Structure formats: structure tokens, C-alpha cells
Amino acid sequence: TGLIADHLELAGSTNRVRQYLLRAGNEAAARYANEEAIGYFNRALKLTGDTDLHGRYELLLAREQAYSFTGDRPAQEGDLVALESLVATLGDREKQAETALLRADYALKTSDHQGSLQAAQRAVAIALEIGDLDQEAKGRIMWGRIILPQGNLQGAESQFNKALSLARSANSQRLVGNAIYFLGIVAFMRYETQSAVRFISESLAQHRKTSDRYGELNDLNLLGNIHRQEKDFTQGLKYYKAALALSREIGDRLSEGLLLNNIGGLFREIGILKEAQQNFRQALAIHRQIRNINFVNASLWGLGFCACFLEGRYWEAISYVEDGLALAREKHLREEEAAFLLLLGDTKIGLQKWS
């Protein structure tokens, strides 16, 4: 498709070129060749006039999602602002709900939890107004995702169950799989291992059936978490590595960083600190590059622990811990602050003995 667009561009057929470039970009995105997709979308946008609001919306929507996968947050934010401006002009309520969900997802990935929740609730309100079951299900999944880490398991479970019912009514098999996956997370957080495995096995089958590689990646990661929680480290590492390979295959930088943290944490728990340190370092570089503050502190804590207990590099450990402590205080993360203070105490005791 891309070659056809190249030939048409040489022939000067602008409208047909734009159509083929969009198709080529979508095909590249479908196989998770995100940088290639962005290149096609860039070329198509140059051929799309400012007055073609629907055409620009379609292209910006596709490019924003590609940027989301690559972790280019400034570029993603630029496209998101442009999309919000377009839907305000168009007055299209369905597109406004869609854009609100994009804003919720972006805000969650950049640690703006309040902004994320407000955007998700706005998307649900619009979906209810226009009777869009699919968008409402997506909005409720997002809503549950936002409140779940805050410890509101009952509220999140309620949102996921509503989303599951809506997805089944809308016959959206991919959303069915997503809702079941998040119900599995709720069970995992309650230490209900058998229920969690049952949910995730079902969602994994659903995601593979619908060729949802991102959903499959999340399922594999959660299975790794479940086995690690049960102290079955061999199986946990197997699932983590499978998910890590898939994250790299589809170009999902956020998940890649998360999985490197998880693998580092597993190696730390079984005392293989050099392997843990290597994974934490890779994770930290990715999280900083894509501005994913949510997981920076997990990497910093792991690196501080390894520096302190692996090699007795106490000053290096203190540097990691103080960076994490400052970030925890800035974001009012009290549990993380406590964890860093405890590690700082251990590090300073070690430094005092070494001195």
C-alpha cells in the first residue's frame, strides 16, 4: 500500500495518495510497526487541508495512538490537544466521548489521576447521553482502572462488572476480554488466587481469539504476578519474559519498562541482585524517557536496594533513594515515602559501619 502511495504521489493524485497513506499507516499500526505508521500519518496530514476536519480527526486519532505506544508523550499531547479542538468545532458527541477517553488514558499514564478520573467520567456521561454502549463500557473500564490503585476494590469491581455487561450487550468481544482481565486484577489484589487464574485464563483466550496482542501481553504479565505472589518464581519469570518479548515486538515502551521492573523485583526477591540491578536500570531509563512517573520510583527503590546490599555502594544507594523520596513527597505517595525512608535508614547504617 505504501508503494502505491509513492507512485500516486509522483503522479500528483493528492486525494488518492492521502487515502493510500492512511491505509498504509493503519496497516503498519495493526502490526505494531508504530514508527512506520507515524511516518505515513505525517505524510497524509501534510496532504489534508485545514478545512477537512473529519479527515484531520481520523489521521490525528491514528497518530495519537501510535505515539501512545512509542511513549512520545509531548507529541501525543500535541495530537490530543488538536483532537480536542477539532471535536469542539465539530460538535460530534461520539467523537467527544472518544477524545475524553484518550485524555483519561494519557492523564493516567502521566500520573494525573484526578484529571484522568474527570475525563473518564465525562466520557461515560456522554456515552449515556447518546446511548453508546461500546463507549460507556470503555469509559467504565477506564474509571475502574483509575480508582483501583487507590485501594477502592469494590468500586473498581462494580465498574468492571458494568463494563462486562455492556460489552456483551454490544457484542464487543475485545472489550469482554478487557473487562474480564480487570476483574482478574481485583481477584489478584484480594489474594483470591484461583479466581484470579480463572479470570485471566478466560481473558487470555479471549484476547488471543480477537488477536489483541496488547491484551495478551497484560494477561501474561498478570499470570507472572500471580505465580510470583505464590512463590513459584520459575513460572513467574517464564510469564514475565514472554510478556517482555511481546512488549518489544509490538513496540509498547510503557509495558516494556513495567515488565523490566517486575523481572528486577523477582530477581531481588530470590537474591540474584546483579540480574535485578540490570533490569531496574533498563526500566528506569525507559520510564524517564517516556515520562512515566508512576513506575520511576519502583526502579529507583530497586536500584537503591541493590546498590546497598549487593556491593555496599552506599553513596550511590543514597542518591537513588533521595531521588525517589523527593518524588514520593512531591506526589504525596505516603506508602512509597515510608519505603524509601526505611531503605535510607538501612543505607545510612551500612555506611556508618563501613566508615
Side-chain angles (χ1 to χ4, degrees):
T1 306
L3 289 174
I4 296 173
D6 291 339
H7 288 303
L8 288 170
E9 195 165 17
L10 289 172
S13 182
T14 302
N15 287 334
R16 292 183 65 197
V17 170
R18 196 190 77 83
Q19 292 171 7
Y20 274 102
L21 286 171
L22 173 59
R23 188 183 304 174
N26 286 334
E27 288 174 358
R31 62 176 190 275
Y32 299 98
N34 295 300
E35 295 293 351
E36 181 184 340
I38 289 166
Y40 285 125
F41 297 142
N42 287 343
R43 288 170 62 188
L45 276 162
K46 288 179 181 177
L47 300 174
T48 307
D50 292 341
T51 58
D52 184 359
L53 302 185
H54 289 282
R56 294 193 69 79
Y57 180 87
E58 185 177 25
L59 284 162
L60 286 166
L61 180 67
R63 193 174 68 176
E64 190 272 349
Q65 287 297 284
Y67 281 138
S68 180
F69 268 106
T70 61
D72 188 341
R73 301 296 175 226
Q76 185 185 2
E77 166 71 5
D79 279 357
L80 191 49
V81 169
L83 285 164
E84 288 167 337
S85 176
L86 280 173
V87 297
T89 302
L90 288 168
D92 186 320
R93 297 296 277 165
E94 183 178 350
K95 286 182 170 60
Q96 287 172 3
E98 186 171 43
T99 307
L101 281 172
L102 295 178
R103 173 57 70 185
D105 185 63
Y106 176 85
L108 185 61
K109 287 175 178 173
T110 55
S111 305
D112 178 9
H113 294 92
Q114 186 60 35
S116 182
L117 182 58
Q118 290 172 352
Q121 291 172 337
R122 185 165 66 251
V124 169
I126 296 171
L128 283 167
E129 175 192 322
I130 62 178
D132 190 327
L133 300 182
D134 193 80
Q135 292 285 24
E136 185 185 348
K138 290 178 183 177
R140 292 195 180 280
I141 288 174
M142 179 61 69
W143 190 332
R145 283 177 58 196
I146 297 160
I147 64 176
L148 186 61
Q150 299 168 5
N152 188 354
L153 298 187
Q154 186 174 353
E157 182 179 39
S158 174
Q159 293 299 331
F160 298 144
N161 275 317
K162 288 176 182 177
L164 179 59
S165 177
L166 288 162
R168 284 174 170 157
S169 295
N171 197 29
S172 177
Q173 297 306 310
R174 180 167 293 195
L175 283 177
V176 166
N178 291 347
I180 293 170
Y181 163 77
F182 283 106
L183 287 168
I185 290 185
V186 172
F188 169 71
M189 292 178 71
R190 287 176 171 156
Y191 296 93
E192 297 171 354
T193 302
Q194 291 184 344
S195 293
V197 170
R198 186 176 68 253
F199 278 126
I200 299 308
S201 297
E202 186 177 350
S203 65
L204 179 60
Q206 193 72 30
H207 287 137
R208 284 176 170 167
K209 179 181 176 182
T210 58
S211 301
D212 184 348
R213 308 302 302 285
Y214 180 69
E216 180 182 353
L217 184 162
N218 287 329
D219 294 323
L220 292 170
N221 177 48
L222 186 52
L223 285 169
N225 288 340
I226 292 168
H227 284 283
R228 178 179 163 192
Q229 182 173 271
E230 294 296 303
K231 307 301 180 185
D232 185 354
F233 297 113
T234 301
Q235 280 295 102
L237 185 59
K238 171 189 165 185
Y239 281 117
Y240 282 156
K241 286 186 172 180
L244 180 62
L246 187 51
S247 74
R248 288 169 171 165
E249 180 185 330
I250 68 176
D252 183 357
R253 299 285 282 165
L254 180 89
S255 294
E256 182 183 0
L258 169 64
L259 283 154
L260 287 166
N261 265 349
N262 285 350
I263 292 170
L266 185 150
F267 279 124
R268 180 188 60 78
E269 287 176 32
I270 62 178
I272 306 178
L273 296 187
K274 285 189 177 180
E275 288 284 349
Q277 187 178 58
Q278 181 181 350
N279 282 278
F280 284 133
R281 280 177 177 159
Q282 293 179 61
L284 180 61
I286 290 172
H287 292 314
R288 281 179 166 164
Q289 180 187 3
I290 66 175
R291 297 167 58 199
N292 182 28
I293 299 169
N294 287 341
F295 298 115
V296 164
N297 267 1
S299 304
L300 288 170
W301 191 93
L303 285 167
F305 183 96
C306 291
C308 178
F309 294 102
L310 172 64
E311 299 164 337
R313 295 163 67 173
Y314 298 113
W315 288 112
E316 181 182 336
I318 287 172
S319 176
Y320 287 129
V321 171
E322 287 183 343
D323 284 351
L325 187 57
L327 188 57
R329 284 172 172 167
E330 179 188 339
K331 296 294 180 182
H332 307 290
L333 303 171
R334 303 292 289 175
E335 288 186 12
E336 290 188 12
E337 181 182 355
F340 277 109
L341 286 169
L342 285 170
L343 183 55
L344 184 61
D346 288 337
T347 306
K348 289 191 173 181
I349 290 170
L351 179 62
Q352 190 175 39
K353 289 180 180 178
W354 176 78
S355 300

PDB file of all heavy atoms in Angstrom, residues 296-321:
ATOM      1  N   VAL A 296       8.744   5.135  37.892  1.00  0.00           N
ATOM      2  CA  VAL A 296      10.115   5.578  38.140  1.00  0.00           C
ATOM      3  C   VAL A 296      10.559   5.166  39.538  1.00  0.00           C
ATOM      4  O   VAL A 296      11.671   4.662  39.737  1.00  0.00           O
ATOM      5  CB  VAL A 296      10.242   7.109  37.953  1.00  0.00           C
ATOM      6  CG1 VAL A 296      11.532   7.629  38.588  1.00  0.00           C
ATOM      7  CG2 VAL A 296      10.228   7.470  36.471  1.00  0.00           C
ATOM      8  N   ASN A 297       9.696   5.360  40.526  1.00  0.00           N
ATOM      9  CA  ASN A 297      10.089   5.079  41.902  1.00  0.00           C
ATOM     10  C   ASN A 297      10.325   3.600  42.172  1.00  0.00           C
ATOM     11  O   ASN A 297      11.150   3.235  43.009  1.00  0.00           O
ATOM     12  CB  ASN A 297       9.059   5.635  42.885  1.00  0.00           C
ATOM     13  CG  ASN A 297       9.429   7.035  43.343  1.00  0.00           C
ATOM     14  OD1 ASN A 297      10.431   7.597  42.911  1.00  0.00           O
ATOM     15  ND2 ASN A 297       8.638   7.604  44.233  1.00  0.00           N
ATOM     16  N   ALA A 298       9.623   2.729  41.473  1.00  0.00           N
ATOM     17  CA  ALA A 298       9.877   1.293  41.642  1.00  0.00           C
ATOM     18  C   ALA A 298      11.297   0.964  41.192  1.00  0.00           C
ATOM     19  O   ALA A 298      12.002   0.170  41.831  1.00  0.00           O
ATOM     20  CB  ALA A 298       8.867   0.478  40.843  1.00  0.00           C
ATOM     21  N   SER A 299      11.727   1.599  40.096  1.00  0.00           N
ATOM     22  CA  SER A 299      13.092   1.387  39.607  1.00  0.00           C
ATOM     23  C   SER A 299      14.110   1.980  40.568  1.00  0.00           C
ATOM     24  O   SER A 299      15.145   1.365  40.860  1.00  0.00           O
ATOM     25  CB  SER A 299      13.257   2.016  38.218  1.00  0.00           C
ATOM     26  OG  SER A 299      12.308   1.525  37.308  1.00  0.00           O
ATOM     27  N   LEU A 300      13.849   3.196  41.059  1.00  0.00           N
ATOM     28  CA  LEU A 300      14.779   3.862  41.971  1.00  0.00           C
ATOM     29  C   LEU A 300      14.938   3.070  43.271  1.00  0.00           C
ATOM     30  O   LEU A 300      16.055   2.905  43.783  1.00  0.00           O
ATOM     31  CB  LEU A 300      14.301   5.283  42.276  1.00  0.00           C
ATOM     32  CG  LEU A 300      14.434   6.299  41.134  1.00  0.00           C
ATOM     33  CD1 LEU A 300      13.713   7.594  41.486  1.00  0.00           C
ATOM     34  CD2 LEU A 300      15.904   6.586  40.827  1.00  0.00           C
ATOM     35  N   TRP A 301      13.832   2.574  43.812  1.00  0.00           N
ATOM     36  CA  TRP A 301      13.906   1.800  45.051  1.00  0.00           C
ATOM     37  C   TRP A 301      14.708   0.524  44.823  1.00  0.00           C
ATOM     38  O   TRP A 301      15.568   0.162  45.630  1.00  0.00           O
ATOM     39  CB  TRP A 301      12.510   1.467  45.573  1.00  0.00           C
ATOM     40  CG  TRP A 301      12.533   0.900  46.970  1.00  0.00           C
ATOM     41  CD1 TRP A 301      12.403   1.592  48.140  1.00  0.00           C
ATOM     42  CD2 TRP A 301      12.706  -0.480  47.343  1.00  0.00           C
ATOM     43  NE1 TRP A 301      12.489   0.743  49.213  1.00  0.00           N
ATOM     44  CE2 TRP A 301      12.681  -0.534  48.758  1.00  0.00           C
ATOM     45  CE3 TRP A 301      12.892  -1.655  46.625  1.00  0.00           C
ATOM     46  CZ2 TRP A 301      12.826  -1.728  49.456  1.00  0.00           C
ATOM     47  CZ3 TRP A 301      13.043  -2.854  47.324  1.00  0.00           C
ATOM     48  CH2 TRP A 301      13.002  -2.881  48.717  1.00  0.00           C
ATOM     49  N   GLY A 302      14.422  -0.162  43.705  1.00  0.00           N
ATOM     50  CA  GLY A 302      15.156  -1.392  43.400  1.00  0.00           C
ATOM     51  C   GLY A 302      16.645  -1.149  43.233  1.00  0.00           C
ATOM     52  O   GLY A 302      17.482  -1.914  43.733  1.00  0.00           O
ATOM     53  N   LEU A 303      17.006  -0.073  42.548  1.00  0.00           N
ATOM     54  CA  LEU A 303      18.417   0.252  42.350  1.00  0.00           C
ATOM     55  C   LEU A 303      19.081   0.641  43.667  1.00  0.00           C
ATOM     56  O   LEU A 303      20.241   0.289  43.921  1.00  0.00           O
ATOM     57  CB  LEU A 303      18.553   1.379  41.321  1.00  0.00           C
ATOM     58  CG  LEU A 303      18.326   0.955  39.876  1.00  0.00           C
ATOM     59  CD1 LEU A 303      18.173   2.172  38.974  1.00  0.00           C
ATOM     60  CD2 LEU A 303      19.467   0.066  39.375  1.00  0.00           C
ATOM     61  N   GLY A 304      18.355   1.378  44.516  1.00  0.00           N
ATOM     62  CA  GLY A 304      18.887   1.727  45.825  1.00  0.00           C
ATOM     63  C   GLY A 304      19.143   0.485  46.666  1.00  0.00           C
ATOM     64  O   GLY A 304      20.197   0.359  47.308  1.00  0.00           O
ATOM     65  N   PHE A 305      18.212  -0.449  46.642  1.00  0.00           N
ATOM     66  CA  PHE A 305      18.353  -1.696  47.388  1.00  0.00           C
ATOM     67  C   PHE A 305      19.567  -2.477  46.895  1.00  0.00           C
ATOM     68  O   PHE A 305      20.388  -2.954  47.692  1.00  0.00           O
ATOM     69  CB  PHE A 305      17.088  -2.543  47.232  1.00  0.00           C
ATOM     70  CG  PHE A 305      17.096  -3.826  48.008  1.00  0.00           C
ATOM     71  CD1 PHE A 305      16.499  -3.894  49.254  1.00  0.00           C
ATOM     72  CD2 PHE A 305      17.694  -4.965  47.490  1.00  0.00           C
ATOM     73  CE1 PHE A 305      16.495  -5.089  49.983  1.00  0.00           C
ATOM     74  CE2 PHE A 305      17.705  -6.156  48.210  1.00  0.00           C
ATOM     75  CZ  PHE A 305      17.112  -6.217  49.456  1.00  0.00           C
ATOM     76  N   CYS A 306      19.693  -2.616  45.578  1.00  0.00           N
ATOM     77  CA  CYS A 306      20.800  -3.389  45.013  1.00  0.00           C
ATOM     78  C   CYS A 306      22.151  -2.744  45.325  1.00  0.00           C
ATOM     79  O   CYS A 306      23.115  -3.434  45.669  1.00  0.00           O
ATOM     80  CB  CYS A 306      20.628  -3.532  43.500  1.00  0.00           C
ATOM     81  SG  CYS A 306      19.242  -4.585  43.013  1.00  0.00           S
ATOM     82  N   ALA A 307      22.225  -1.418  45.184  1.00  0.00           N
ATOM     83  CA  ALA A 307      23.483  -0.721  45.463  1.00  0.00           C
ATOM     84  C   ALA A 307      23.883  -0.887  46.932  1.00  0.00           C
ATOM     85  O   ALA A 307      25.064  -1.033  47.255  1.00  0.00           O
ATOM     86  CB  ALA A 307      23.359   0.760  45.112  1.00  0.00           C
ATOM     87  N   CYS A 308      22.904  -0.887  47.814  1.00  0.00           N
ATOM     88  CA  CYS A 308      23.175  -1.002  49.249  1.00  0.00           C
ATOM     89  C   CYS A 308      23.607  -2.411  49.632  1.00  0.00           C
ATOM     90  O   CYS A 308      24.609  -2.600  50.324  1.00  0.00           O
ATOM     91  CB  CYS A 308      21.939  -0.598  50.046  1.00  0.00           C
ATOM     92  SG  CYS A 308      22.117  -0.738  51.842  1.00  0.00           S
ATOM     93  N   PHE A 309      22.864  -3.410  49.162  1.00  0.00           N
ATOM     94  CA  PHE A 309      23.068  -4.766  49.662  1.00  0.00           C
ATOM     95  C   PHE A 309      23.907  -5.658  48.752  1.00  0.00           C
ATOM     96  O   PHE A 309      24.400  -6.694  49.191  1.00  0.00           O
ATOM     97  CB  PHE A 309      21.718  -5.426  49.928  1.00  0.00           C
ATOM     98  CG  PHE A 309      20.959  -4.784  51.050  1.00  0.00           C
ATOM     99  CD1 PHE A 309      19.909  -3.916  50.806  1.00  0.00           C
ATOM    100  CD2 PHE A 309      21.323  -5.022  52.365  1.00  0.00           C
ATOM    101  CE1 PHE A 309      19.217  -3.312  51.847  1.00  0.00           C
ATOM    102  CE2 PHE A 309      20.635  -4.432  53.420  1.00  0.00           C
ATOM    103  CZ  PHE A 309      19.582  -3.565  53.156  1.00  0.00           C
ATOM    104  N   LEU A 310      24.074  -5.255  47.488  1.00  0.00           N
ATOM    105  CA  LEU A 310      24.873  -6.081  46.587  1.00  0.00           C
ATOM    106  C   LEU A 310      26.350  -5.736  46.704  1.00  0.00           C
ATOM    107  O   LEU A 310      27.198  -6.590  46.885  1.00  0.00           O
ATOM    108  CB  LEU A 310      24.411  -5.910  45.136  1.00  0.00           C
ATOM    109  CG  LEU A 310      25.292  -6.571  44.066  1.00  0.00           C
ATOM    110  CD1 LEU A 310      25.287  -8.081  44.240  1.00  0.00           C
ATOM    111  CD2 LEU A 310      24.801  -6.214  42.663  1.00  0.00           C
ATOM    112  N   GLU A 311      26.657  -4.467  46.632  1.00  0.00           N
ATOM    113  CA  GLU A 311      28.051  -4.072  46.533  1.00  0.00           C
ATOM    114  C   GLU A 311      28.481  -3.118  47.647  1.00  0.00           C
ATOM    115  O   GLU A 311      29.631  -2.721  47.714  1.00  0.00           O
ATOM    116  CB  GLU A 311      28.298  -3.404  45.169  1.00  0.00           C
ATOM    117  CG  GLU A 311      28.013  -4.341  43.999  1.00  0.00           C
ATOM    118  CD  GLU A 311      27.885  -3.600  42.672  1.00  0.00           C
ATOM    119  OE1 GLU A 311      27.575  -2.397  42.696  1.00  0.00           O
ATOM    120  OE2 GLU A 311      28.114  -4.228  41.633  1.00  0.00           O
ATOM    121  N   GLY A 312      27.550  -2.721  48.514  1.00  0.00           N
ATOM    122  CA  GLY A 312      27.897  -1.770  49.548  1.00  0.00           C
ATOM    123  C   GLY A 312      28.248  -0.405  49.002  1.00  0.00           C
ATOM    124  O   GLY A 312      29.024   0.347  49.602  1.00  0.00           O
ATOM    125  N   ARG A 313      27.653  -0.058  47.856  1.00  0.00           N
ATOM    126  CA  ARG A 313      27.900   1.264  47.262  1.00  0.00           C
ATOM    127  C   ARG A 313      26.886   2.238  47.858  1.00  0.00           C
ATOM    128  O   ARG A 313      25.900   2.617  47.243  1.00  0.00           O
ATOM    129  CB  ARG A 313      27.800   1.170  45.733  1.00  0.00           C
ATOM    130  CG  ARG A 313      28.899   0.268  45.150  1.00  0.00           C
ATOM    131  CD  ARG A 313      28.622  -0.181  43.734  1.00  0.00           C
ATOM    132  NE  ARG A 313      28.658   0.935  42.788  1.00  0.00           N
ATOM    133  CZ  ARG A 313      28.569   0.769  41.469  1.00  0.00           C
ATOM    134  NH1 ARG A 313      28.444  -0.447  40.971  1.00  0.00           N
ATOM    135  NH2 ARG A 313      28.604   1.806  40.670  1.00  0.00           N
ATOM    136  N   TYR A 314      27.166   2.621  49.085  1.00  0.00           N
ATOM    137  CA  TYR A 314      26.174   3.319  49.894  1.00  0.00           C
ATOM    138  C   TYR A 314      25.847   4.719  49.364  1.00  0.00           C
ATOM    139  O   TYR A 314      24.690   5.142  49.410  1.00  0.00           O
ATOM    140  CB  TYR A 314      26.643   3.378  51.344  1.00  0.00           C
ATOM    141  CG  TYR A 314      26.812   2.003  51.967  1.00  0.00           C
ATOM    142  CD1 TYR A 314      28.069   1.525  52.315  1.00  0.00           C
ATOM    143  CD2 TYR A 314      25.717   1.165  52.171  1.00  0.00           C
ATOM    144  CE1 TYR A 314      28.228   0.256  52.864  1.00  0.00           C
ATOM    145  CE2 TYR A 314      25.863  -0.094  52.716  1.00  0.00           C
ATOM    146  CZ  TYR A 314      27.127  -0.547  53.062  1.00  0.00           C
ATOM    147  OH  TYR A 314      27.268  -1.794  53.597  1.00  0.00           O
ATOM    148  N   TRP A 315      26.852   5.441  48.870  1.00  0.00           N
ATOM    149  CA  TRP A 315      26.572   6.790  48.365  1.00  0.00           C
ATOM    150  C   TRP A 315      25.700   6.736  47.114  1.00  0.00           C
ATOM    151  O   TRP A 315      24.816   7.569  46.922  1.00  0.00           O
ATOM    152  CB  TRP A 315      27.862   7.551  48.092  1.00  0.00           C
ATOM    153  CG  TRP A 315      28.570   7.969  49.348  1.00  0.00           C
ATOM    154  CD1 TRP A 315      29.756   7.517  49.833  1.00  0.00           C
ATOM    155  CD2 TRP A 315      28.078   8.910  50.310  1.00  0.00           C
ATOM    156  NE1 TRP A 315      30.057   8.102  51.037  1.00  0.00           N
ATOM    157  CE2 TRP A 315      29.040   8.974  51.352  1.00  0.00           C
ATOM    158  CE3 TRP A 315      26.935   9.706  50.408  1.00  0.00           C
ATOM    159  CZ2 TRP A 315      28.891   9.799  52.462  1.00  0.00           C
ATOM    160  CZ3 TRP A 315      26.786  10.526  51.513  1.00  0.00           C
ATOM    161  CH2 TRP A 315      27.752  10.576  52.528  1.00  0.00           C
ATOM    162  N   GLU A 316      25.951   5.727  46.281  1.00  0.00           N
ATOM    163  CA  GLU A 316      25.100   5.543  45.094  1.00  0.00           C
ATOM    164  C   GLU A 316      23.676   5.192  45.524  1.00  0.00           C
ATOM    165  O   GLU A 316      22.696   5.707  44.968  1.00  0.00           O
ATOM    166  CB  GLU A 316      25.669   4.437  44.208  1.00  0.00           C
ATOM    167  CG  GLU A 316      24.865   4.183  42.935  1.00  0.00           C
ATOM    168  CD  GLU A 316      25.422   3.039  42.108  1.00  0.00           C
ATOM    169  OE1 GLU A 316      26.632   2.747  42.233  1.00  0.00           O
ATOM    170  OE2 GLU A 316      24.650   2.440  41.346  1.00  0.00           O
ATOM    171  N   ALA A 317      23.567   4.331  46.522  1.00  0.00           N
ATOM    172  CA  ALA A 317      22.247   3.947  47.038  1.00  0.00           C
ATOM    173  C   ALA A 317      21.512   5.169  47.571  1.00  0.00           C
ATOM    174  O   ALA A 317      20.312   5.355  47.307  1.00  0.00           O
ATOM    175  CB  ALA A 317      22.394   2.892  48.124  1.00  0.00           C
ATOM    176  N   ILE A 318      22.210   5.999  48.326  1.00  0.00           N
ATOM    177  CA  ILE A 318      21.589   7.200  48.893  1.00  0.00           C
ATOM    178  C   ILE A 318      21.093   8.129  47.792  1.00  0.00           C
ATOM    179  O   ILE A 318      20.006   8.721  47.893  1.00  0.00           O
ATOM    180  CB  ILE A 318      22.587   7.929  49.823  1.00  0.00           C
ATOM    181  CG1 ILE A 318      22.759   7.127  51.120  1.00  0.00           C
ATOM    182  CG2 ILE A 318      22.103   9.346  50.143  1.00  0.00           C
ATOM    183  CD1 ILE A 318      23.857   7.631  52.021  1.00  0.00           C
ATOM    184  N   SER A 319      21.851   8.233  46.700  1.00  0.00           N
ATOM    185  CA  SER A 319      21.431   9.080  45.584  1.00  0.00           C
ATOM    186  C   SER A 319      20.110   8.595  44.990  1.00  0.00           C
ATOM    187  O   SER A 319      19.185   9.386  44.758  1.00  0.00           O
ATOM    188  CB  SER A 319      22.517   9.087  44.507  1.00  0.00           C
ATOM    189  OG  SER A 319      22.095   9.817  43.371  1.00  0.00           O
ATOM    190  N   TYR A 320      19.998   7.280  44.757  1.00  0.00           N
ATOM    191  CA  TYR A 320      18.749   6.715  44.224  1.00  0.00           C
ATOM    192  C   TYR A 320      17.589   6.942  45.205  1.00  0.00           C
ATOM    193  O   TYR A 320      16.494   7.343  44.815  1.00  0.00           O
ATOM    194  CB  TYR A 320      18.905   5.208  43.983  1.00  0.00           C
ATOM    195  CG  TYR A 320      19.749   4.828  42.794  1.00  0.00           C
ATOM    196  CD1 TYR A 320      20.788   3.900  42.924  1.00  0.00           C
ATOM    197  CD2 TYR A 320      19.500   5.364  41.537  1.00  0.00           C
ATOM    198  CE1 TYR A 320      21.555   3.522  41.832  1.00  0.00           C
ATOM    199  CE2 TYR A 320      20.267   4.989  40.434  1.00  0.00           C
ATOM    200  CZ  TYR A 320      21.294   4.075  40.600  1.00  0.00           C
ATOM    201  OH  TYR A 320      22.058   3.707  39.524  1.00  0.00           O
ATOM    202  N   VAL A 321      17.864   6.676  46.484  1.00  0.00           N
ATOM    203  CA  VAL A 321      16.804   6.763  47.491  1.00  0.00           C
ATOM    204  C   VAL A 321      16.324   8.206  47.664  1.00  0.00           C
ATOM    205  O   VAL A 321      15.113   8.463  47.759  1.00  0.00           O
ATOM    206  CB  VAL A 321      17.295   6.187  48.836  1.00  0.00           C
ATOM    207  CG1 VAL A 321      16.287   6.475  49.941  1.00  0.00           C
ATOM    208  CG2 VAL A 321      17.513   4.683  48.709  1.00  0.00           C
TER     209      VAL A 321
END
